[in-house]
Amino acid sequence: MDPVAWCQERLWVPHNPISASLLFVDKDQQGPILALRAVHSELAQITELAREPGLAQAKLNWWREALLQEHTHPALEALEAVNVREQLSLPGMMALCDAVEASLDAPRYETIGHAWDAYRGLGGLALELEVGMLSGESLAGDVVADLHELGAAGYWLRQVRDISADARQGRWFLPLEVQAQYQISRQQVIDGAVGPNWAGFIEGLVGVASERLIDAKARLSERATPAMAHALIMAALDERLAQQLTRSPERVLTERVLPGHFGNVWVAWRQARRCRAPVG
């Protein structure tokens, strides 16, 4: 199978926000974004293997070698097919692998700050790599900081969205200080017996990410470039996910909240128009 088609078959699917976001970026950006997101998806799956450290480490080592062109993979072949692999920061990709490894060593976070730092290294660095690849140039420090905030917020919201499924798989990636504040335990989530504090628990978690996402998105919008358009569209879709999580917190306990595709398309279109609007 054509490697770009492999990435598309894997990611361009209903309920994945990328199936809406990619509709509104330049055609020459679609393939690179899709291929890089496929690589990120493969690395993200390794973080789910924290209970099998030997297997997780072996997969991570394989990816480090693959990034050094010692192995091949359809996502890496796709990056080559769309002529952007050389533009992708190898030190940045290795740093992302390091962040994945750190998440395996410490799958539980005591405080909000500890969790946020970890998510900046995972989701934030991934977003920096995407914008850097698309721009083909070094990014300013303040831009990098805000991209890290956007990426961390999106990663955080997906952890909230998946809290029920993760709990049943023996994973608990959310900060223990919030768990203690609302007296919510992983076992309660598994049993579906969380009590009256559940809505506050979800709203508190979502609020941490939403506030930082909105602030960073506003700052980036003031100096947006074509290379940042997809990051801002994804941020708008993350805002929509945050709204749905807080609107129906009880759903988080029993299902994976997935905003509908047509609503995502509308939000993506609206944000894309804002990206193209003149600033000033």
Side-chain angles (χ1 to χ4, degrees):
M1 177 183 290
D2 173 81
V4 177
W6 183 90
C7 297
Q8 185 168 355
E9 182 178 284
R10 194 169 170 80
L11 297 182
W12 204 315
V13 295
H15 297 298
N16 189 333
I18 202 170
S19 66
S21 63
L22 285 182
L23 296 174
F24 303 102
V25 299
D26 293 341
K27 292 289 186 182
D28 61 354
Q29 291 186 354
Q30 290 182 354
I33 292 171
L34 194 62
L36 183 56
R37 294 263 169 170
V39 174
H40 292 165
S41 176
E42 295 293 311
L43 291 174
Q45 289 181 14
I46 297 174
T47 67
E48 299 174 2
L49 298 174
R51 296 183 68 188
E52 302 177 68
L55 178 59
Q57 191 64 56
K59 286 193 171 186
L60 186 56
N61 290 342
W62 186 94
W63 268 100
R64 284 195 172 109
E65 294 172 357
L67 290 166
L68 294 171
Q69 301 189 340
E70 294 185 25
H71 306 303
T72 188
H73 187 277
L76 296 175
E77 293 172 6
L79 287 169
E80 293 176 352
V82 295
N83 301 314
V84 294
R85 184 163 181 178
E86 295 303 318
Q87 298 174 28
L88 189 62
S89 167
L90 181 58
M93 290 302 299
M94 290 301 178
L96 183 58
C97 289
D98 291 343
V100 170
E101 185 169 27
S103 75
L104 298 175
D105 293 338
R108 292 173 179 260
Y109 305 107
E110 295 293 332
T111 67
I112 289 173
H114 290 152
W116 194 263
D117 287 345
Y119 295 170
R120 289 179 90 251
L122 292 163
L125 183 53
L127 200 58
E128 177 195 348
L129 286 164
E130 177 178 295
V131 175
M133 176 188 69
L134 295 176
S135 67
E137 57 188 31
S138 297
L139 304 176
D142 54 348
V143 169
V144 170
D146 284 331
L147 288 172
H148 282 201
E149 289 291 282
L150 281 191
Y155 199 94
W156 183 290
L157 290 169
R158 289 188 287 278
Q159 298 305 311
V160 178
R161 178 198 65 189
D162 296 342
I163 187 172
S164 179
D166 282 342
R168 289 171 172 79
Q169 293 296 321
R171 302 188 293 264
W172 189 265
F173 298 126
L174 298 169
L176 299 182
E177 72 167 300
V178 181
Q179 171 184 326
Q181 179 183 353
Y182 292 96
Q183 294 297 295
I184 300 290
S185 69
R186 184 172 70 85
Q187 190 59 50
Q188 287 176 309
V189 174
I190 294 171
D191 295 339
V194 292
N197 291 338
W198 178 252
F201 177 62
I202 296 299
E203 290 169 7
L205 287 168
V206 170
V208 170
S210 293
E211 182 176 334
R212 301 186 188 201
L213 185 152
I214 291 169
D215 289 346
K217 181 167 170 277
R219 289 190 296 268
L220 284 171
S221 296
E222 293 176 354
R223 52 188 186 279
T225 66
M228 296 181 199
H230 187 252
L232 291 169
I233 291 170
M234 288 298 293
L237 294 173
D238 286 337
E239 285 186 83
R240 181 169 189 245
L241 173 61
Q243 292 165 1
Q244 296 206 3
L245 291 171
T246 54
R247 186 178 301 136
S248 303
E250 69 282 354
R251 288 179 59 198
V252 182
L253 191 59
T254 59
E255 63 183 282
R256 193 182 195 208
V257 176
L258 297 171
H261 176 67
F262 293 111
N264 278 347
V265 169
W266 165 253
V267 169
W269 172 80
R270 186 173 58 186
Q271 180 60 48
R273 282 181 59 103
R274 290 174 180 157
C275 290
R276 296 189 180 101
V279 177

